[in-house]
Amino acid sequence: MVSVGRGPGPDTAGGGSLVVELAQLASGSLALVGGKALNLGKLVAAGFPVPPGFCLTTAGYRMAATAELDAIAARLDGAALDGAALDGAPGLSGGERDELARRAREAVVAAPVPPDVEAAVRGAYRTMGNAPVAVRSSATAEDLPFASFAGQQDSFMDVVGADAVVEAVRRCWASLWTDRAVAYRTSNGISHREVGLAVVVQQMVDAGMAGVLFTANPVTGTRTETVIDAAPGPGQAVVSGSVNPDHFVVETASGRTLQSPDGTALSLAKDQLRELTSLGDAAQRLFGAPQDVEWVIDAGGKAWLTQSRPITTLYPLPDADPFGGQAGTEQTAGSDTRVYLCGTLLQGLTRPITPMGLSVLGLMRGNKGPWKYVNPGLRMYIELTPIIRSKSGRKALVRMLPLADGRSAAVFPSLLEDPRFAVVRRPRKKSDRKVTQGAGRTEAKGSEGTQSLGLMIGLFPAMIRALLWPDGELRRARRFQDRLEARLKLPLPASAARRLQHAENVLGTGVINGLIQATLPGPSVGYLMLAAVRRLLRGIAQPRELEAVLRGLPHNVTTIMDLELWHLAVSLGRDPDARRVFSELKPGELAALYRAGTLPAAAQAGLRKFLSKYGHRAVAEIDLGMPRWAEEPDHLLGMISNYLRVEDPEQAPDRQFARAADHAEARISELVDRAGENSRLRGRLVALCLRRARQLSGLRELPKFYIVMVLAEMHRQLMAVGAELAGNGTVAAAGDVFFLDFDELRVGLRGADLKGIVAGRRRLYDVELRRRRVPRLLLSDGTDVEAAMMAAASGLPQTAAPDRLSGTPASAGTASGKVRVVMDPIGAHLEPGEILVAPSTDPGWTPLFMTAGALVMEMGGVISHGAVVAREYGIPAVVGVADATVRLRDGQTVTVDGAAGTVTW
C-alpha cells in the first residue's frame, strides 16, 4: 500500500495557519496542501497567469475527521487501527467497499465543521471581497506522477457567500469518499488512512472560452504535439464531456496547426493556439513531465491556467531510465527519430519484467551483434532504425515480421513510407580512418565476431550428425541436462556473498555456448528440412498443407510436461480423497496444504514428483524475478482442478494429442505419395525431410527449457541472499532482491539501506502491471505507431463487421464454444471446450491449451509460441486479434476459424 504522507496537525500547518495564499504554496508539501494546490502554487511562483485564491490545508480536514472515519479507512485498508491485519479485509467485495464509502461520506457530512476551520475560511474569503469563487478539492493522493486521480474528487463553480463556501468545503471533504475515489485508490494501492484533502478557493474567471490542453498527444503518445480542446463558456463543460469541443493538434516547437475542426467559425484563433501551446510547453518544462492543463480565456482575451497535473497514462520514452526514474531525453520536432520493436511482446509477455530480470537478460545478450536494446516501461525493446534505413534490412523485416507478430507487420508499411526513415546510403570509409578511429572498439567487435563465427561453424558437424543419426542427437541433447545440473550446483555451506557470485557466474559464456552447441543443431535441422520440403513440393502441395505435419510433435519437452500433468490429474481422479479436495478448494488453499505436506498422499507425492522435474518453470519464466512453480504451485493445482472436470473421453488431452499425431502421419503419407507420382527420387527426398522434421523440430523448446533451469537456480540463490538482507534490515522482504541488480546487492551486503530504491521500483512495476496497452512499435518521440495509425483512420469510413474479429490465421480448424477471457493463467478456470481468449501466452500457459476448444490471442504471429503450440495440439488458433480481450466476453458463443483467421458470433 503506497503511503502519500499523513498531513501535519493543526498546530504546525503553514506555521500555525489553516489557510495559505496560493502564492505562498510553491515550497509547501504534498501532505499539507495536496497535489492540485501544490502545482498551482508552483505555477504562481514561476509567473504563470493563475487566478488568485487560497488553500485550506489538510490540517482542517484532519480536525474534522471523526473516529468513525478512521475506523472505516482502516477497514478499507484491511487493517485495524493499531496496524494489525484484519482477517478477510483484503477480500472486500465491490458492494462492501461501496457501503463503507457511503458510511464515510455520511460521517463527514454529519460532522460539524470545526469552529477554527470555519473562522479561517470565512476570514480568507472576506479578503477576496466575497466575490464568486471556485471551490476545488486538492487531495494528497492527487496529481501524482503515477496516478492523476483526475475527476475523482468534487469541485464547485460560482460559489457566492461565506455560508456557501463553508458548505462547499464540507462537500469537497465528503467527495474524498465517493465510490469512484475509493475504488481508484484501492486499484492504485494507496492507503485510505494516509490520504487527506485540502481545498483550493479561487476567484472565478468570467470565461469567454475554456478547455483543456495536453502537452503530449494522449492518444498516440507523441511528445512533440500539443492537443487542445476548446468550447465557449466555463471549462467544466469540456472536462465533463457534456459538450463537443473544438479539437486542435499543434506541433509544439513551431506552433504549426496539424489538425483543426472543419469549418470557418473556430473557437480559437491561431495566435491563441500558439499562446496556449507556449503556456503548456512552459508548464511541462517547469514540472519536468508532460502536463494535462485546464485553461480559461476571459472576456478581455487573457489566458489563465486553473490546473496542471501530470499525464500518467503515457508510455515511457524509449530512452527513459526505468531504474533511475528519469523521464527520458526531450524529443524535439527536428531531432533524429528512432524506431523500437517490443521484444517482450514477441516472447508472449505483456507484463513488465523485474529490474533484476532485465539486468540478467542484458548480461545474457552481452554486447554481441548489431542490436541496441532499451527498457522503457520495464519491457525490452529492440532498435530497428538502422535496419529500416537499409534496403536489405527492410526486405528481411517485411518477410519475417508477419511470422512473429501480425499486428506489427500490419503497421510496418506506414514506417517505410515515413520520410524520417528513408533508406540511407552509408558513405564508404577511407581505409586510413578505419585504422585510426575507434581502434579499440573495432578490435573488441572483431574478437566478438570471431567468437560468434567460430561458435556457428562448430554447429555444422553436429547438424550433419543430427541429419544422419537423429536418435543419437536426441540422446546428446538430453544428456546435456546432467552436465548443466552439475555446473549449477553450489557447494554448501555458502555465504550470501558466495551465493551472489555463483548466481552471476552461472551466466558465463561456457554455459550459454555449451547449451547452444548441445541443443540448437537438432531443431535447426528439423526446420531446415521443413524449408527444403516446401521447395520440393512446389506445384504439388500448398504451403498451408504442411501445417498438419507439425501436429503432435514428439520430443517437445513442454508438450511432454503438459501430458505428464494430465496423467497426474487422471491418477488423482481415481483417488476419492484427492478428487474431493481438488473439487472443494481453490488453488491457493491447495498450495497451502501442499507446502504444509497435508494434501492427500497421492496428490502430495504426485505433485512432488512432477515439481522435481518441472518446478523450475513458471509463468513469464524468462523473468528471473518470477516465482517458480516449486515455490508457488498454485497455477499447476488450478490446472489439475480444470483437468478433473473433463468428462468426455474424446476431450482427454492425450487422446487429442494422439489424434493430432495420427493426422500428421497421414498427411506425410499423402504428401510422399503425391511427390512420388512426379518422381520416385522426389518422393524419397520428401519422405526423408518430413521424417527428420518430425523427429527433430520438437526439440525447439529444449534450449529455453535449459535456460530457464539456469534462471531458476539463480532465482533460488538470490532468494537466499534476499532472506539474509531482509533479516538485517537492508530490504523489507527477500523478494526485494529482484528489484535491484548485482552491483546494488553487493553494496547491500556491505550494510547499505536499499529499501528506498526498492520502493520506487516496486511502485513503477505496479503501475506497469496495470497497463493494458503496450506499444508494439514505439518511436523515440513516444509515438505508439499502431495507435497513431488507428487515430488517423478513425475519421475514415469504417468497414469492420459488428459480428466478427479478424487476425492472423495460426492453426487451421474450426471450433465453436463459449468464450473464456484469461488475463493471468494463475488460478484461471477453463471448462473443457471453451475458447481461450488471452492477451498473449508463453510456455507457462500451455497446460490451459490441453482442454481449450480454440485459442484467440491479441498478440503474436504464426511462429509465436502460442501459435506453434496450438498447431502441435491440433486446436484452431487466430492470433494478432486487436482488442480481443475487450470485445469478447465470458460466456459469449463464438466460432473460431483458424484457417480464415476469423472469430465470428
Side-chain angles (χ1 to χ4, degrees):
M1 186 72 70
V2 175
S3 173
V4 293
R6 201 169 178 85
D11 294 337
T12 62
S17 298
L18 287 166
V19 298
V20 184
E21 289 186 13
L22 292 184
Q24 300 174 357
L25 291 180
S27 59
S29 70
L30 178 68
L32 179 64
V33 300
K36 183 182 283 122
L38 183 60
N39 287 356
L40 286 172
K42 291 179 179 180
L43 288 172
V44 172
F48 285 80
V50 175
F54 66 88
C55 172
L56 171 65
T57 69
T58 56
Y61 171 80
R62 301 292 181 198
M63 292 170 65
T66 63
E68 180 186 4
L69 190 62
D70 286 342
I72 292 171
R75 181 74 178 92
L76 286 165
D77 278 350
L81 288 175
D82 61 1
L86 290 173
D87 291 339
L92 288 174
S93 67
E96 291 171 323
R97 187 185 62 227
D98 291 347
E99 173 60 21
L100 288 171
R102 182 191 64 79
R103 285 172 49 195
R105 291 194 301 274
E106 291 178 351
V108 173
V109 171
V113 177
D116 289 349
V117 175
E118 182 170 348
V121 171
R122 288 179 180 274
Y125 177 64
R126 192 180 308 115
T127 64
M128 297 179 67
N130 297 319
V133 293
V135 182
R136 314 177 78 182
S137 302
S138 179
T140 56
E142 182 177 72
D143 297 353
L144 303 175
F146 59 93
S148 71
F149 281 76
Q152 300 304 312
Q153 281 78 228
D154 291 340
S155 295
F156 305 95
M157 303 294 110
D158 282 312
V159 180
V160 180
D163 290 345
V165 171
V166 172
E167 181 58 27
V169 166
R170 187 205 304 269
R171 291 167 67 188
C172 284
W173 287 344
S175 72
L176 188 63
W177 300 99
T178 61
D179 294 348
R180 65 180 184 273
V182 169
Y184 195 91
R185 285 198 297 274
T186 299
S187 66
N188 281 278
I190 292 176
S191 169
H192 298 282
R193 287 172 294 164
E194 298 294 333
V195 73
L197 191 93
V199 180
V200 174
V201 180
Q202 277 181 289
Q203 179 181 308
M204 282 295 297
V205 176
D206 184 14
M209 193 69 60
V212 297
L213 73 82
F214 298 89
T215 65
N217 193 315
V219 175
T220 67
T222 307
R223 304 303 204 272
T224 58
E225 296 176 353
T226 296
V227 176
I228 301 174
D229 284 351
Q236 285 298 106
V238 176
V239 174
S240 66
S242 61
V243 298
N244 290 322
D246 284 350
H247 182 74
F248 302 87
V249 179
V250 181
E251 187 177 69
T252 305
S254 67
R256 181 168 60 95
T257 302
L258 303 175
Q259 181 183 337
S260 62
D262 296 330
T264 56
L266 300 181
S267 55
L268 293 174
K270 287 187 177 181
D271 60 336
Q272 290 176 315
L273 284 173
R274 284 194 291 268
E275 180 185 9
L276 289 172
T277 299
S278 178
L279 283 171
D281 188 42
Q284 174 175 268
R285 293 175 188 275
L286 173 67
F287 292 109
Q291 296 291 296
D292 168 0
V293 179
E294 294 182 18
W295 56 269
V296 176
I297 296 178
D298 65 21
K302 180 177 175 60
W304 301 85
L305 303 188
T306 58
Q307 180 167 305
S308 185
R309 59 176 168 241
I311 307 173
T312 59
T313 56
L314 297 172
Y315 198 80
L317 290 172
D319 57 358
D321 177 7
F323 305 137
Q326 298 299 313
T329 305
E330 181 184 344
Q331 176 85 24
T332 61
S335 58
D336 185 46
T337 307
R338 301 175 302 283
V339 186
Y340 299 89
L341 175 69
C342 187
T344 48
L345 284 183
L346 297 184
Q347 284 288 324
L349 296 185
T350 55
R351 63 181 297 136
I353 298 178
T354 59
M356 177 60 82
L358 285 172
S359 176
V360 167
L361 288 175
L363 290 172
M364 291 174 67
R365 290 193 310 264
N367 295 317
K368 298 178 181 179
W371 308 103
K372 177 185 176 184
Y373 297 86
V374 291
N375 301 313
L378 296 176
R379 295 172 180 88
M380 183 180 67
Y381 279 78
I382 310 157
E383 184 173 1
L384 299 181
T385 318
I387 302 169
I388 291 177
R389 288 176 174 164
S390 156
K391 278 188 177 181
S392 59
R394 286 181 169 216
K395 289 180 181 178
L397 283 173
V398 167
R399 186 171 63 253
M400 296 301 298
L401 204 51
L403 302 177
D405 184 54
R407 286 170 63 185
S408 295
V411 302
F412 189 65
S414 68
L415 291 178
L416 301 185
E417 297 168 2
D418 192 321
R420 294 175 294 177
F421 308 117
V423 172
V424 175
R425 287 182 176 273
R426 293 186 178 181
R428 293 185 177 180
K429 295 182 179 179
K430 294 181 180 180
S431 58
D432 59 332
R433 292 182 63 189
K434 278 186 180 179
V435 175
T436 57
Q437 293 187 355
R441 184 167 62 251
T442 302
E443 183 180 343
K445 285 189 175 181
S447 174
E448 290 173 354
T450 301
Q451 291 176 10
S452 299
L453 181 61
L455 179 62
M456 297 308 296
I457 291 174
L459 293 179
F460 288 134
M463 292 173 67
I464 293 171
R465 285 199 308 269
L467 175 63
L468 298 177
W469 302 288
D471 291 338
E473 183 60 26
L474 289 170
R475 290 191 296 271
R476 180 171 173 267
R478 288 171 180 160
R479 282 198 302 269
F480 177 76
Q481 183 169 344
D482 296 331
R483 301 201 305 275
L484 180 61
E485 288 175 345
R487 176 75 179 266
L488 295 179
K489 193 169 294 184
L490 173 67
L492 298 176
S495 65
R498 179 71 187 91
R499 290 179 184 275
L500 181 62
Q501 192 62 48
H502 176 71
E504 194 169 15
N505 286 346
V506 295
L507 283 174
T509 56
V511 169
I512 300 299
N513 288 350
L515 188 151
I516 291 172
Q517 292 168 346
T519 61
L520 277 189
S524 298
V525 170
Y527 281 97
L528 284 172
M529 292 296 98
L530 199 62
V533 86
R534 281 197 180 98
R535 286 184 173 273
L536 289 169
L537 290 173
R538 278 183 182 173
I540 299 173
Q542 296 297 318
R544 294 299 298 268
E545 293 184 71
L546 287 173
E547 275 188 13
V549 173
L550 297 181
R551 292 191 169 183
L553 278 179
H555 314 307
N556 183 324
V557 67
T558 299
T559 304
I560 294 168
M561 175 190 75
D562 293 341
L563 289 172
E564 286 188 23
L565 187 64
W566 162 252
H567 290 137
L568 172 59
V570 171
S571 68
L572 296 183
R574 293 193 288 263
D575 184 290
D577 290 339
R579 177 176 279 277
R580 176 183 56 78
V581 168
F582 276 88
S583 65
E584 294 176 356
L585 300 182
K586 296 178 180 178
E589 296 169 325
L590 292 168
L593 291 180
Y594 174 74
R595 283 188 285 267
T598 55
L599 278 176
Q604 190 77 24
L607 186 59
R608 185 186 302 113
K609 181 180 178 182
F610 182 87
L611 290 175
S612 69
K613 294 176 67 175
Y614 303 111
H616 63 283
R617 307 209 74 169
V619 175
E621 60 191 1
I622 65 166
D623 182 359
L624 174 73
M626 291 297 290
R628 306 290 118 176
W629 287 343
E631 298 171 82
E632 297 183 7
D634 310 46
H635 175 48
L636 297 176
L637 294 163
M639 290 302 96
I640 293 173
S641 297
N642 284 340
Y643 292 164
L644 289 174
R645 288 193 288 271
V646 176
E647 297 178 352
D648 182 357
E650 294 306 306
Q651 287 188 325
D654 52 353
R655 289 198 185 184
Q656 293 193 55
F657 190 80
R659 283 198 298 269
D662 291 342
H663 186 192
E665 293 296 335
R667 179 59 55 87
I668 288 175
S669 297
E670 176 192 341
L671 293 174
V672 169
D673 290 343
R674 285 159 62 182
E677 292 173 1
N678 184 282
S679 161
R680 291 180 63 185
L681 176 60
R682 179 172 294 199
R684 290 174 180 175
L685 288 173
V686 167
L688 174 66
C689 290
L690 291 178
R691 293 297 173 199
R692 291 295 183 266
R694 277 196 64 77
Q695 285 175 299
L696 297 171
S697 296
L699 290 176
R700 64 178 176 77
E701 289 284 320
L702 204 54
K704 186 175 182 182
F705 183 82
Y706 289 153
I707 287 172
V708 171
M709 284 182 62
V710 176
L711 295 179
E713 175 60 16
M714 295 174 69
H715 180 97
R716 191 173 72 86
Q717 297 299 343
L718 289 174
M719 281 295 289
V721 173
E724 180 165 322
L725 292 177
N728 62 32
T730 297
V731 297
D736 287 352
V737 293
F738 302 114
F739 292 84
L740 301 162
D741 61 27
F742 285 104
D743 289 338
E744 289 165 340
L745 287 176
R746 275 188 279 272
V747 173
L749 288 175
R750 294 196 290 269
D753 189 334
L754 302 175
K755 290 192 286 290
I757 295 174
V758 170
R761 291 178 186 170
R762 277 194 177 275
R763 185 159 54 243
L764 172 61
Y765 184 79
D766 290 342
V767 168
E768 290 301 325
L769 272 178
R770 292 191 294 271
R771 189 181 296 280
R772 289 297 304 272
R773 180 176 179 84
V774 177
R776 45 199 0 97
L777 282 166
L778 181 66
L779 303 188
S780 55
D781 65 2
T783 301
D784 177 339
V785 178
E786 185 180 38
M789 275 193 61
M790 293 170 64
S794 62
L796 302 176
Q798 300 300 305
T799 58
D803 60 350
R804 71 177 55 222
L805 293 173
S806 298
T808 301
S811 178
T814 302
S816 296
K818 292 184 178 180
V819 165
R820 178 72 66 177
V821 177
V822 178
M823 304 303 293
D824 186 339
I826 298 175
H829 178 96
L830 187 74
E831 292 289 342
E834 286 187 325
I835 308 300
L836 173 61
V837 179
S840 63
T841 64
D842 76 340
W845 287 71
T846 55
L848 284 169
F849 289 26
M850 302 285 281
T851 56
L855 171 69
V856 178
M857 286 199 317
E858 291 182 325
M859 315 295 177
V862 295
I863 64 168
S864 59
H865 185 272
V868 172
V869 175
R871 288 196 294 272
E872 292 181 5
Y873 286 178
I875 63 173
V878 182
V879 301
V881 183
D883 300 324
T885 61
V886 176
R887 298 211 30 208
L888 300 177
R889 63 186 186 278
D890 284 349
Q892 179 181 1
T893 300
V894 300
T895 298
V896 177
D897 187 332
T902 60
V903 183
T904 57
W905 57 90

